[in-house]
Amino acid sequence: KEKKEKKEKPAAAPAAAPAADDQPEFTKLEMKVGVLIKTWHHPESEKLFLEEVDVGEEKPRQVASGLRAHFTLETFCPGRKVVVVTNLKAAKMAGAESAGMVVACVHPEGKVELLDPPADAKVGERIFIEGLTGEPSTPAQVQKKKILLAVLPDLKTDGACIATWQGKTLMTSAGPLKVLSNANSPIS
């Protein structure tokens, strides 16, 4: 009986975990402002770009993006600010490691636009929604709990081309995330 009681006490310690279930799904993702450092065509795939992205960490991340059909190296180029989901498990894409996902907006007619952080947004800052708080989940939790899949259906632009989740504006310290012209379109 004593052993059972000892087992119950450690099990009670993670009792804070159910509170995390009340945490808005969006806040479990870590979306950051990044800047493209280097971009090139994936040598093994005609659909992928490879890029090095500075997201405010010790070293840039390599990310593979399926955006090659929609952008050129001149438009998807070093110096361009992007939004990156940084708490995804690293994955191989056509043999190259990808440690994140560049976020884009797809118009129903097929036009793809990258989310644009404001010019004054700080590289590495986390995207937020006013009034929503919570620590990002680990990459393993994001994958296991399918958090990205839960968030994506509610990510879209509004009529003014501002990025939203469940109708709430996605923000940086310098203002909202926007796209050029894809109004009322899904973000992924």
Side-chain angles (χ1 to χ4, degrees):
K1 289 182 183 177
E2 287 180 44
K3 287 182 182 178
K4 285 182 184 178
E5 288 176 22
K6 287 180 184 177
K7 285 182 183 177
E8 287 176 19
K9 287 179 184 175
D21 290 341
D22 294 341
Q23 178 180 343
E25 290 295 299
F26 177 83
T27 65
K28 296 176 185 178
L29 284 183
E30 185 173 60
M31 296 174 73
K32 290 184 174 183
V33 174
V35 64
L36 298 174
I37 302 297
K38 180 180 176 186
T39 60
W40 65 99
H41 291 144
H42 190 301
E44 305 298 321
S45 172
E46 293 182 10
K47 295 181 180 181
L48 299 175
F49 278 120
L50 289 173
E51 57 265 9
E52 285 184 7
V53 187
D54 178 357
V55 290
E57 298 170 343
E58 190 174 313
K59 61 180 186 170
R61 290 177 178 234
Q62 179 172 294
V63 177
S65 300
L67 298 170
R68 197 160 150 186
H70 307 283
F71 298 96
T72 65
L73 285 173
E74 289 74 29
T75 57
F76 193 68
C77 60
R80 189 187 203 302
K81 284 190 176 172
V82 292
V83 175
V84 182
V85 180
T86 58
N87 63 336
L88 301 177
K89 279 185 107 172
K92 294 273 185 185
M93 293 181 69
E97 185 163 309
S98 182
M101 181 180 91
V102 173
V103 183
C105 176
V106 184
H107 189 273
E109 293 176 6
K111 182 179 178 187
V112 176
E113 295 179 338
L114 296 172
L115 291 190
D116 283 322
D120 294 339
K122 296 175 186 76
V123 170
E125 79 170 280
R126 187 174 175 204
I127 306 304
F128 66 93
I129 294 173
E130 288 186 16
L132 300 185
T133 59
E135 289 301 311
S137 296
T138 66
Q141 290 170 325
V142 170
Q143 182 177 5
K144 181 179 179 183
K145 296 181 179 181
K146 298 179 172 46
I147 293 169
L148 181 63
L149 294 176
V151 170
L152 285 177
D154 294 321
L155 276 176
K156 54 190 73 162
T157 56
D158 65 13
C161 298
I162 294 173
T164 68
W165 179 71
Q166 295 184 345
K168 300 171 189 89
T169 302
L170 304 188
M171 297 291 296
T172 70
S173 62
L177 300 177
K178 298 179 180 181
V179 295
L180 190 60
S181 63
N182 282 357
N184 303 309
S185 298
I187 295 170
S188 61

